[in-house]
Amino acid sequence: FTPQQDGARAVQLYLDNFAKVTAVSEGGRPLPFLRDHVGARRADLDNRLYDGSLVVLPETPLVKGVARRFDFEYEMDLRNFAPGRSWYPSAENDETILADTHTARLQITVRKKFEVRAMGRREEGSDEAGDGGTSTSVWIVDQPVRMLTFTFADHFHEERVTRPGVPDVICFGSRVQVSRNARFRAVGEDVSAALDFYQRLFDVKLPETPIYVTSIAGGHGQAFDGFIELAEQ
């Protein structure tokens, strides 16, 4: 990040309430940080619960225009998707969320029974098998976006839907009893028809890059750049 003012001795960031931060560093040197472990104070709260605020105390004051880099190590449980902005540290709270755009490089390691899809492009030659039955892939987000996501699924199934004049729609997810193959194509066709409708309504032409659509283990839907998550139900 690049400071916009001189002299700050603390940097307030925000992170998912269930992310357990184990270390913060700058240039390999550990930095102290402050985070309220809310769950430790009451027996009726999940012990994994933390306050969303994460305050980092750098060794030297910030200087306007001089870039700094903090590295974070933390653990966090995910179901089968990374939820918007909250799963990685952000300098924005609710009042300014999504104002800051950024690029990314995601290196994702999963057990081999899972397939991964993420925003951006899959780096060619990045896929490799690891020890203990894992595989790793790298995804590059070149164009600045407001938030990042990735998903993973076992019993993986994927369908590509094409329609003249609109981007291809690639619909994928876990092929379980409630999500037979036909539902993937039906959802893909619905999204493709919606893209066609809104192109006509707003008289715009979308880029030819495919649109990814996936089912997630959640009760909501969310749209990212070129990547749409829909509730499994």
Side-chain angles (χ1 to χ4, degrees), residues 157-170:
H157 183 75
E158 185 172 85
E159 293 269 357
R160 180 183 286 260
V161 174
T162 61
R163 178 187 293 259
V166 300
D168 286 359
V169 173
I170 300 174

Side-chain angles (χ1 to χ4, degrees), residues 88-167:
Y88 55 96
S90 171
E92 300 174 339
N93 203 1
D94 293 340
E95 293 82 4
T96 55
I97 194 73
L98 303 184
D100 179 33
T101 60
H102 44 283
T103 58
R105 180 183 186 273
L106 305 178
Q107 180 174 309
I108 305 172
T109 300
V110 296
R111 292 196 296 271
K112 284 187 176 179
K113 73 173 184 176
F114 294 110
E115 282 276 350
V116 171
R117 294 294 183 270
M119 292 176 60
R121 58 180 174 84
R122 196 169 193 154
E123 188 174 67
E124 293 186 11
S126 68
D127 295 6
E128 60 181 48
D131 297 332
T134 64
S135 61
T136 299
S137 59
V138 175
W139 303 79
I140 306 297
V141 181
D142 294 307
Q143 298 298 319
V145 297
R146 291 179 173 84
M147 53 186 175
L148 299 164
T149 193
F150 65 89
T151 67
F152 52 93
D154 59 357
H155 302 93
F156 184 78
H157 183 75
E158 185 172 85
E159 293 269 357
R160 180 183 286 260
V161 174
T162 61
R163 178 187 293 259
V166 300

